[in-house]
Amino acid sequence: MGLNETPSGERVHIGFFGRRNAGKSSLVNAVTGQELAVVSDTRGTTTDPVSKAMELLPIGPVVIIDTPGFDDEGALGELRVRKTRQILNKSDVAVLVADCTEGLKDCDRELIEIFRQKEIPWLLVWNKCDLRPEHPEAKENEIYVSATEKIEIEALKEKIAAIGKTEENKLMLVGDLMHPGDMAVLVIPIDKAAPKGRLILPQQQVIRDILEAEGAAVCVKEYELRETLEKFKEPPAIVITDSQVFAKVSADVPKTIPLTSFSILMARHKGLLDTAVRGIAAVEDLKDGDTVLIAEGCTHHRQCDDIGSVKIPRWLKNYTGKKLNIELCSGREFPEDLSKYALIIHCGGCMLNEREVRYRMKCAVDQDVPITNYGIAIAYMQGILKRSVSMFPYLAEELQESEK
């Protein structure tokens, strides 16, 4: 992925839902102008969610998701419906496709209730209007279209865009913590676990955010940091590090210079930071036999010293001195029942959109399971959490109060 491409986690996710043979796939193809989904008269042709990242005017960068029929049957059908429910957790906009010649069915009504429960902006699209020229007047959140005849497709795009607008003042990663002309130093380890020939996504995004804030970014490896800082006439406005080298970087950066990590900035960007800071206190209550879930939003080839499966479990066991059970989940899989876990430690969530991160956080909070994130956990176990969130005064004050 290039620096100019919008990451999937920053795109508006538009899910197309409905029962089998309502014309979801045909409508997805009509909206995208591409043969994205396989179309057939056979019910249940779409067996797995199909996603496409693209530019969709007038809304901008989006991810279009075609889902299996919500009325699918049998063992495989149940699995497809479960996958559809997972897509709901990350949908910023839900498009319910119904056959206007047949009206709403029970599964359609069930989907509408889920949209309301999850507070997902939704639109009811009556497809196949060419087969029913005389139809009732559309309500405010409805529209009559024909995917095959391309009737009202542009109007549908406009309606999707209207309910899919995101807040223009969404928190930056770091740009709002800097002034024009400020310099940030980014500490980026280059080791066997680092991707070959590229930076990881949070590093790319932070660099882009700094440039958009009219600042400057200097990238160094952890062993070059001290010498680099000594060369500056003026100290940088902030140092941002990979969490894996937090301890060394904290020792090398003067206390007068703000210090945080890519993971902590990502937690704030995705809406997890406050809950993550409060959740880390649960580390002190862990007991022998407790189960901790390490959750990652992406799937990748795990190296021998992988951060999620090796380093964090090792640091956690060393810090607590307890015999803990560690479970891992990655990608789109996230347990619905979290009751067995004493703590959840989540990655930065760069590959997940904000809605899905907040959904996972809400699942944990609703089930009274503490949740934190990689950067917060590492900073806490290395005794530098208060320093790593000092640029957020309300959090620093909250930590101060909790220590009294």
Side-chain angles (χ1 to χ4, degrees):
M1 188 196 73
L3 278 173
N4 289 323
E5 295 180 21
T6 303
S8 174
E10 301 300 313
R11 293 172 178 264
V12 176
H13 284 55
I14 304 168
F16 284 71
F17 304 91
R19 59 190 180 86
R20 289 172 294 168
N21 220 31
K24 294 188 305 301
S25 298
S26 296
L27 189 59
V28 166
N29 289 344
V31 167
T32 61
Q34 302 177 23
E35 294 300 314
L36 174 63
V38 176
V39 176
S40 169
D41 291 334
T42 304
R43 291 168 63 85
T45 300
T46 303
T47 57
D48 287 291
V50 178
S51 300
K52 172 69 174 179
M54 59 181 297
E55 295 286 323
L56 182 64
L57 296 178
I59 197 170
V62 301
V63 175
I64 299 289
I65 311 168
D66 184 23
T67 64
F70 201 67
D71 60 337
D72 213 343
E73 301 167 337
L76 279 177
E78 290 179 7
L79 179 60
R80 292 166 186 165
V81 169
R82 186 165 70 86
K83 289 184 177 181
T84 296
R85 287 183 177 273
Q86 291 175 344
I87 298 301
L88 279 161
N89 297 332
K90 64 178 180 179
S91 295
D92 297 301
V93 175
V95 177
L96 175 57
V97 184
D99 187 332
C100 76
T101 67
E102 297 185 11
L104 292 180
K105 303 296 183 180
D106 287 344
C107 64
D108 297 318
R109 296 185 182 92
E110 183 181 351
L111 278 166
I112 291 172
E113 183 58 30
I114 295 173
F115 300 158
R116 288 171 174 161
Q117 289 175 358
K118 294 182 178 293
E119 299 180 348
I120 304 172
W122 60 281
L123 179 66
L124 174 56
V125 179
W126 294 106
N127 192 24
K128 307 182 184 180
C129 72
D130 55 307
L131 303 180
R132 189 184 178 188
E134 300 295 326
H135 51 72
E137 184 178 348
K139 299 177 182 177
E140 185 176 352
N141 70 324
E142 297 180 356
I143 185 172
Y144 284 84
V145 306
S146 171
T148 57
E149 300 301 320
K150 307 297 188 293
I151 297 172
E152 292 284 44
I153 298 302
E154 291 303 317
L156 171 59
K157 292 181 185 180
E158 294 285 349
K159 275 188 169 288
I160 293 174
I163 63 174
K165 288 182 179 177
T166 54
E167 298 179 16
E168 295 295 331
N169 60 344
K170 183 178 179 180
L171 280 176
M172 299 178 179
L173 275 163
V174 66
D176 58 322
L177 304 176
M178 301 175 63
H179 298 96
D182 278 351
M183 181 176 295
V185 175
L186 312 185
V187 184
I188 302 174
I190 303 295
D191 54 26
K192 59 186 177 182
K196 300 299 181 184
R198 62 182 176 87
L199 301 177
I200 64 174
L201 184 56
Q203 295 162 0
Q204 294 181 35
Q205 290 180 269
V206 166
I207 291 172
R208 178 62 182 263
D209 204 43
I210 290 169
L211 295 177
E212 289 184 352
E214 300 182 4
V218 174
C219 301
V220 299
K221 292 185 285 189
E222 67 273 29
Y223 296 105
E224 301 168 349
L225 174 61
R226 182 176 293 180
E227 181 180 351
T228 300
L229 291 175
E230 290 173 351
K231 293 179 180 179
F232 289 157
K233 292 183 179 179
E234 298 290 336
I238 192 170
V239 173
I240 305 166
T241 182
D242 186 297
S243 298
Q244 299 182 65
V245 292
F246 233 148
K248 173 173 175 49
V249 171
S250 180
D252 288 347
V253 175
K255 296 288 193 254
T256 54
I257 300 176
L259 169 67
T260 192
S261 76
F262 294 103
S263 181
I264 290 174
L265 292 176
M266 189 62 67
R268 183 178 77 123
H269 186 57
K270 301 291 185 178
L272 179 62
L273 182 59
D274 294 17
T275 301
V277 169
R278 298 186 188 103
I280 193 58
V283 168
E284 302 297 336
D285 300 323
L286 292 175
K287 306 181 293 295
D288 286 337
D290 278 347
T291 302
V292 176
L293 176 65
I294 308 291
E296 294 187 332
C298 63
T299 55
H300 60 273
H301 176 67
R302 298 189 184 279
Q303 302 288 339
C304 59
D305 209 18
D306 181 70
I307 177 69
S309 60
V310 179
K311 288 184 177 179
I312 289 180
R314 181 174 67 229
W315 289 328
L316 194 59
K317 291 177 180 178
N318 289 342
Y319 180 84
T320 63
K322 306 298 182 182
K323 296 179 180 179
L324 303 172
N325 300 316
I326 304 295
E327 290 190 7
L328 304 172
C329 72
S330 60
R332 300 303 179 192
E333 298 297 326
F334 188 76
E336 292 184 8
D337 183 2
L338 302 171
S339 59
K340 66 186 288 188
Y341 303 113
L343 175 66
I344 300 168
I345 304 178
H346 206 289
C347 71
C350 64
M351 297 303 294
L352 305 175
N353 64 346
E354 181 181 341
R355 180 173 286 275
E356 186 162 7
V357 172
R358 288 184 178 272
Y359 163 77
R360 295 182 177 195
M361 177 181 71
K362 188 176 186 300
C363 284
V365 171
D366 288 349
Q367 297 179 53
D368 201 26
V369 178
I371 183 170
T372 189
N373 103 317
Y374 282 15
I376 295 296
I378 294 170
Y380 182 85
M381 290 186 285
Q382 296 180 349
I384 54 176
L385 178 57
K386 191 183 300 183
R387 182 183 186 187
S388 68
V389 297
S390 63
M391 62 288 303
F392 314 120
Y394 70 99
L395 282 178
E397 291 174 7
E398 192 168 307
L399 286 172
Q400 189 76 34
E401 288 295 321
S402 67
E403 292 174 355
K404 292 181 181 179

